[in-house]
Amino acid sequence: MILVTGGAGFIGANFVLDWLAQSDEPVITLDKLTYAGNPENLQSLQGDARHTLVQGDIGDAALVAKLLAEHQPRAVINFAAESHVDRSIHGPGDFIQTNIVGTFHLLESVRGYWSNLPENLDCHGSAPLAMTAGATKSSFRFLHVSTDEVYGSLTKDDPAFTETSHIEPNSPYSASKAASDHLVRAWHHTYGLPVLTTNCSNNYGPYHFPEKLIPLLIVNSLVGKPLPVYGDGQQIRDWLYVKDHCSAIRRVLEAGRLGEIYNVGGWNEKANLDIVHTVCALLDELRPRADGKPYKDQITYVTDRPGHDRRYAIDAHKLERELGWKPAETFDSGIRKTVQWYLDNPDWVTHVQSGAYREWVQKHYK
Ligand code: NAD
Ligand code: TYD
């Protein structure tokens, strides 16, 4: 049994779906179901006895303690967060609350649970992590999912971020994530909590909420809306297909060294404008506009984001060297799959755009 927080969001849902596609080890998903939490992401697991979705806050100590005691997970994977930089600029409060205070409460709940776990189970000589049933003090893991944005911004010529780069967050979002990373680190050094932290670059893929660049481009293109490019569009991000992020997390969970940080990246640095042109070209090919014009005609330059980080780049050599992980997708293969997924899932897109996915949440949860 594992507990996944934030498992109804973009990356968390992909992680849960992939996990249960590859293993029968049950998952309990704890998610507050904020605007970004969409149970439709997990609809294919309805009626699957291996999965339980619980609506709740990582900061609700009583609920988290109850879930841990009841389900005895061998690992907690923490995806739960407020995740959108623009929202953090307009309203940082929720970011402080969930990403910092929420992570603190979660760490304390997990510490209480972990400290009372048995030292060891009789596992007949097999490695503790190979056992899927029964958590023990030594086999338990708390894996914290974080971002490359904690390292701040690079110039064009700077080397990519390594695990020892300075922590220099610039947005309320990245500052709140950096704070949570520090808490996780401190809970390991002070209390011995068996933690792992991953700092990953920009993800893209299925179930991505269309407030972020790539899904926004796809859904706006299809309904004839403008494609907003902030500033000059020359900001650079490293892009990783979400399934590759999920495989990296599984690998770190399985074999990562306790207390260590692992950078996760796709070796795909791209300027935003290149991303926009790529998505437009794929849509021209896969779903041409009715008027025969190219989608790039919808590009609109808008005022830049305040404090906009110029470049992120990830050096993922440690993960490759120590744990043998490499991304499976190139950017070309991943972005094609992504665009195709949005074209193949019009109901998901329509429900997200109309807000109908909230009605579903209200009917099934509260
Ligand atoms: P998301 O916004 O799509 O999903 C976040 C999920 O957390 C949602 O389901 C939301 O309902 C839930 N949540 C929010 N507050 C909560 C709370 N207090 N208690 C319980 N659940 C809560 O985000 P995402 O893009 O899937 O990102 C997941 C994690 O990965 C985040 O921690 C983010 O910082 C990190 N990350 C994201 C990216 C990226 O490119 N999206 C890159 C690197 C790291
Ligand atoms: P985003 O997907 O919000 O991720 P992050 O800010 O965490 O990197 O944005 C990716 C890049 O795209 C970032 O440089 C901001 C830019 N951007 C736009 O140019 N237009 C948009 O409409 C959005 C949402 C982002």
Side-chain angles (χ1 to χ4, degrees):
M1 170 73 71
I2 59 166
L3 173 67
V4 174
T5 68
F10 162 48
I11 307 173
N14 277 285
F15 181 84
V16 171
L17 292 169
D18 282 8
W19 182 273
L20 290 174
Q22 298 182 23
S23 135
D24 280 332
E25 185 174 6
V27 177
I28 178 142
T29 296
L30 171 65
D31 198 296
K32 191 175 175 181
L33 300 180
T34 68
Y35 79 94
N38 182 351
E40 288 189 26
N41 297 351
L42 299 170
Q43 213 165 13
S44 61
L45 295 175
Q46 250 183 356
D48 189 325
R50 300 171 305 164
H51 182 247
T52 311
L53 172 60
V54 177
Q55 185 180 15
D57 194 316
I58 53 167
D60 182 342
L63 172 66
V64 175
K66 183 171 155 281
L67 288 175
L68 292 169
E70 227 170 79
H71 297 280
Q72 298 279 306
R74 70 171 174 99
V76 173
I77 298 106
N78 182 32
F79 292 95
E82 288 294 334
S83 68
H84 192 207
V85 174
D86 293 320
R87 281 183 191 254
S88 83
I89 294 168
H90 299 299
D94 287 346
F95 289 73
I96 304 303
Q97 202 51 45
T98 283
N99 300 0
I100 307 179
V101 181
T103 302
F104 156 66
H105 286 301
L106 180 65
L107 283 165
E108 279 296 80
S109 305
V110 168
R111 182 165 75 92
Y113 163 71
W114 167 76
S115 61
N116 287 315
L117 283 174
E119 289 292 341
N120 252 315
L121 291 179
D122 177 13
C123 58
H124 308 292
S126 51
L129 269 178
M131 299 189 304
T132 53
T136 66
K137 212 164 175 190
S138 58
S139 67
F140 182 80
R141 299 288 182 269
F142 179 87
L143 192 151
H144 180 62
V145 180
S146 193
T147 166
D148 61 356
E149 302 189 26
V150 300
Y151 299 119
S153 185
L154 297 168
T155 66
K156 204 160 59 61
D157 302 319
D158 284 334
F161 300 126
T162 68
E163 289 79 0
T164 54
S165 293
H166 288 155
I167 304 295
E168 291 175 346
N170 293 319
S171 72
Y173 163 66
S174 54
S176 68
K177 289 297 292 186
S180 68
D181 296 6
H182 286 320
L183 292 176
V184 170
R185 177 188 161 88
W187 260 241
H188 174 67
H189 281 268
T190 307
Y191 305 112
L193 191 69
V195 308
L196 299 154
T197 299
T198 53
N199 290 87
C200 186
S201 57
N202 284 54
N203 285 213
Y204 65 99
Y207 305 109
H208 205 178
F209 196 81
E211 61 182 354
K212 308 278 170 61
L213 180 65
I214 289 181
L216 183 85
L217 292 171
I218 302 170
V219 305
N220 276 14
S221 293
L222 295 174
V223 294
K225 284 191 181 166
L227 308 179
V229 173
Y230 296 170
D232 62 4
Q234 292 309 317
Q235 305 83 2
I236 291 170
R237 301 288 181 264
D238 172 66
W239 293 92
L240 181 69
Y241 190 61
V242 64
K243 306 272 178 201
D244 280 326
H245 188 188
C246 295
S247 76
I249 292 170
R250 287 196 304 273
R251 185 69 192 129
V252 172
L253 183 65
E254 185 177 57
R257 286 188 290 129
L258 292 186
E260 289 291 314
I261 290 167
Y262 292 92
N263 281 353
V264 189
W267 306 104
N268 285 312
E269 283 187 56
K270 306 269 178 207
N272 291 343
L273 203 54
D274 293 340
I275 298 283
V276 180
H277 283 133
T278 302
V279 169
C280 288
L282 277 167
L283 284 169
D284 288 339
E285 176 197 328
L286 299 170
R287 182 69 58 84
R289 265 172 53 157
D291 61 7
K293 292 190 173 154
Y295 282 100
K296 68 175 164 49
D297 285 3
Q298 290 167 228
I299 294 173
T300 312
Y301 288 87
V302 299
T303 310
D304 207 354
R305 173 188 278 174
H308 199 169
D309 285 338
R310 198 66 186 163
R311 174 175 167 240
Y312 303 140
I314 270 282
D315 181 334
H317 276 122
K318 177 176 171 184
L319 187 50
E320 184 177 345
R321 195 175 57 245
E322 285 192 14
L323 304 182
W325 176 88
K326 269 190 197 176
E329 300 290 342
T330 63
F331 186 73
D332 286 350
S333 64
I335 193 69
R336 181 173 282 275
K337 280 186 184 175
T338 303
V339 172
Q340 192 63 57
W341 185 87
Y342 281 84
L343 295 175
D344 291 345
N345 289 275
D347 287 350
W348 185 92
V349 173
T350 314
H351 292 178
V352 164
Q353 278 178 315
S354 68
Y357 76 109
R358 301 307 300 167
E359 288 161 25
W360 200 94
V361 173
Q362 275 144 21
K363 202 161 122 213
H364 290 79
Y365 297 92
K366 58 174 176 359

